[in-house]
Amino acid sequence: MAVKLSAVSDSGPIIHLSEIDATKAFNIFKELVIPDEVSRETKNLRIPSIRIMQLNQKHKDITKFLAASYNLDLGEAEAISLCMQESIKILFTDDLEARIIAKHYN
């Protein structure tokens, strides 16, 4: 049996999958975690399998750097920082710039 991995998402994929009633697609992962800003942006969506995770101070600072340096929205920057903090290699985003930056930072 394959080991299930964790994943992080920014708001876009959660919103879009919710619009077509397909959030169960996230169930292929051990867990889907999101940072605070993504939680705020998706607050009206009820998806029980999502866990909200806090960024530590170091990764809050990284978020500020990413947002300012690359003109990313706060949710995207926090999602990338959360991947770094938790060593999670899977990031869901619908933003090309966020994908490029995430790849740059592994």
Side-chain angles (χ1 to χ4, degrees):
M1 185 167 129
V3 175
K4 282 188 168 187
L5 302 173
S6 297
V8 173
S9 183
D10 75 7
S11 302
I14 295 169
I15 292 167
H16 300 310
L17 286 174
S18 186
E19 289 171 339
I20 60 170
D21 196 28
T23 56
K24 63 184 173 235
F26 291 127
N27 292 341
I28 66 170
F29 297 96
K30 180 175 95 176
E31 67 178 348
L32 182 69
V33 294
I34 60 173
D36 285 331
E37 182 61 23
V38 173
S39 174
R40 280 189 284 281
E41 293 172 2
T42 60
K43 69 180 175 185
N44 294 327
L45 304 175
R46 302 288 182 248
I47 304 168
S49 60
I50 293 177
R51 183 164 69 102
I52 302 164
M53 189 173 283
Q54 307 293 313
L55 290 172
N56 61 32
Q57 188 57 53
K58 173 185 173 185
H59 288 87
K60 287 179 183 179
D61 293 341
I62 290 171
T63 295
K64 290 176 190 173
F65 170 79
L66 292 173
S69 298
Y70 300 105
N71 199 30
L72 293 176
D73 289 337
L74 186 55
E76 295 157 349
E78 280 193 4
I80 293 169
S81 294
L82 184 57
C83 284
M84 293 174 174
Q85 175 180 295
E86 300 300 316
S87 299
I88 295 175
K89 299 295 182 187
I90 300 169
L91 170 67
F92 287 102
T93 181
D94 59 346
D95 183 271
L96 177 60
E97 188 67 18
R99 284 194 301 272
I100 291 168
I101 300 311
K103 281 184 179 184
H104 177 75
Y105 288 96
N106 294 318

